[in-house]
Amino acid sequence: MMDTRQSIHSDHARTLDTEGLRREFLVPELFRSDELTMTYSHIDRIVLGGINPVRGPVALADALGKAYGVDFFLQRREMGLINIGGPGWAKVDGTTTELGSEDALYIGQGARVLSFGSQDPANPAKFYYNSAPAHRPYPTRKVTLEQAVKATLGDARTSNRRTINKYFIPEVLPTCQLSMGMTKLEEGSLWNTMPCHTHERRMEVYCYFRLPADACVFHMMGQPQETRHIIVRNEQAVISPSWSIHSGVGTQAYTFIWGMVGENQTFDDMDQVATADLR
């Protein structure tokens, strides 16, 4: 079943209480055994979800495309996924690609028959995916962690030492608009994306994982002078509109996947916000 989220104006968001913020921006359950979950946001028409094949393959059925006014899901879309579970595979129009932990796969516009599986039911794959509208097909391609462009930022003194692994950016492979990557915090670091920023040209989704049951991330959102927070736990995602900051501090180190869609793919096109200006 697809979960649809409407666009939320910044003036509306500032009036929401805790439950209202969670209802509009939090995706609380990404992975269900032997299912594909799907959340469709009207913000730049991004689709996100998880695929967790355990007892057998999970297919992306043609029927899902009917909700988008097309014959099949990727007829006018592209898709990217990163495996955060055990070894698995993806089969795209008859071609099977093995995907180990932290391997990524870009699937171009026009791919029609998709299925996903795990190598070991006792250690199943968990494919977290983002999908965006696309205007032309690009080749389906696997990207490993080693092939991702890396940038290490921050400092242990400010608890934000982290490595950004950029899987789907123009320097690695062509996409229509989808950018994705994975950021790993070093042990003892708790903050991501601080000092924070917005980017009016792109929206973003964060998927937090590698958090034990007793840990959480305080995800910061809202306009810089009207900040709010959402408590996020393991394997949950947060939708971030272009007007919102997107930063977080955890009770311990964690990893998160970021996905962006919008006007451009310039990673450094950000509107920086000084910490002194936050409210």
Side-chain angles (χ1 to χ4, degrees), residues 198-212:
T198 62
H199 30 68
E200 289 286 349
R201 279 77 49 199
R202 298 188 305 275
M203 66 83 67
E204 191 161 6
V205 176
Y206 277 9
C207 168
Y208 292 99
F209 63 105
R210 292 184 181 152
L211 284 161

Side-chain angles (χ1 to χ4, degrees), residues 175-194:
T175 69
C176 290
Q177 65 167 320
L178 179 64
S179 299
M180 287 185 74
M182 180 173 64
T183 299
K184 296 183 176 183
L185 274 67
E186 294 187 6
E187 196 69 27
S189 285
L190 305 175
W191 281 98
N192 74 68
T193 327
M194 182 59 72

Side-chain angles (χ1 to χ4, degrees), residues 1 4 15 33 59 81 87 91 113 119 135 175 193 201 217 230-231 239-240 246 250:
M1 180 180 295
T4 300
T15 69
S33 296
L81 58 87
K91 189 173 184 180
V113 183
Q119 303 288 6
H135 63 276
T175 69
T193 327
R201 279 77 49 199
V217 173
I230 298 176
I231 300 293
I239 299 168
S240 179
H246 34 283

Side-chain angles (χ1 to χ4, degrees), residues 231-242:
I231 300 293
V232 184
R233 304 197 183 275
N234 189 49
E235 296 179 357
Q236 295 183 336
V238 180
I239 299 168
S240 179
S242 58

Side-chain angles (χ1 to χ4, degrees), residues 4-279:
T4 300
R5 306 291 181 92
Q6 295 183 357
S7 298
I8 299 295
H9 193 281
S10 56
D11 287 346
H12 180 190
R14 64 193 291 185
T15 69
L16 297 175
D17 61 10
T18 296
E19 289 306 312
L21 290 172
R22 294 175 68 84
R23 181 179 62 250
E24 299 295 345
F25 300 106
L26 180 69
V27 182
E29 186 179 20
L30 290 169
F31 297 104
R32 302 187 195 116
S33 296
D34 296 308
E35 291 187 30
L36 181 150
T37 66
M38 180 174 284
T39 297
Y40 176 32
S41 173
H42 287 184
I43 303 173
D44 284 312
R45 305 289 173 179
I46 195 170
V47 178
L48 63 138
I51 309 165
N52 184 208
V54 179
R55 291 171 293 183
V58 173
L60 179 56
D62 276 356
L64 291 172
K66 293 180 180 179
Y68 301 89
V70 291
D71 297 324
F72 56 97
F73 182 59
L74 295 183
Q75 185 173 5
R76 295 176 60 84
R77 284 183 163 271
E78 60 187 352
M79 181 175 178
L81 58 87
I82 299 175
N83 183 13
I84 66 172
W89 52 264
K91 189 173 184 180
V92 181
D93 290 338
T95 299
T96 300
T97 303
E98 294 187 357
L99 297 168
S101 179
E102 301 184 343
D103 285 345
L105 185 68
Y106 172 78
I107 305 172
Q109 177 197 356
R112 182 157 192 164
V113 183
L114 282 69
S115 62
F116 307 88
S118 298
Q119 303 288 6
D120 180 7
N123 183 28
K126 290 183 175 181
F127 303 109
Y128 171 73
Y129 73 89
N130 289 172
S131 173
H135 63 276
R136 59 159 294 178
Y138 283 112
T140 295
R141 179 178 155 187
K142 175 181 175 179
V143 180
T144 66
L145 179 64
E146 291 71 26
Q147 293 169 328
V149 172
K150 295 172 174 55
T152 299
L153 305 174
D155 194 293
R157 293 175 299 175
T158 48
S159 301
N160 67 346
R161 186 72 172 171
R162 62 202 187 275
T163 298
I164 304 171
N165 301 281
K166 307 171 188 177
Y167 286 86
F168 304 148
I169 60 170
E171 292 87 342
V172 177
L173 83 173
T175 69
C176 290
Q177 65 167 320
L178 179 64
S179 299
M180 287 185 74
M182 180 173 64
T183 299
K184 296 183 176 183
L185 274 67
E186 294 187 6
E187 196 69 27
S189 285
L190 305 175
W191 281 98
N192 74 68
T193 327
M194 182 59 72
C196 64
H197 61 261
T198 62
H199 30 68
E200 289 286 349
R201 279 77 49 199
R202 298 188 305 275
M203 66 83 67
E204 191 161 6
V205 176
Y206 277 9
C207 168
Y208 292 99
F209 63 105
R210 292 184 181 152
L211 284 161
D214 62 348
C216 69
V217 173
F218 290 75
H219 177 86
M220 308 299 172
M221 64 160 297
Q223 291 181 301
Q225 285 73 47
E226 286 284 346
T227 60
R228 303 290 187 270
H229 76 267
I230 298 176
I231 300 293
V232 184
R233 304 197 183 275
N234 189 49
E235 296 179 357
Q236 295 183 336
V238 180
I239 299 168
S240 179
S242 58
W243 47 260
S244 177
I245 65 169
H246 34 283
S247 179
V249 60
T251 55
Q252 66 177 68
Y254 51 90
T255 301
F256 68 97
I257 294 171
W258 45 267
M260 294 185 286
V261 302
E263 295 291 344
N264 65 31
Q265 294 177 298
T266 305
F267 185 84
D268 293 328
D269 180 16
M270 305 169 185
D271 302 314
Q272 300 291 341
V273 179
T275 305
D277 293 333
L278 291 172
R279 298 289 185 273

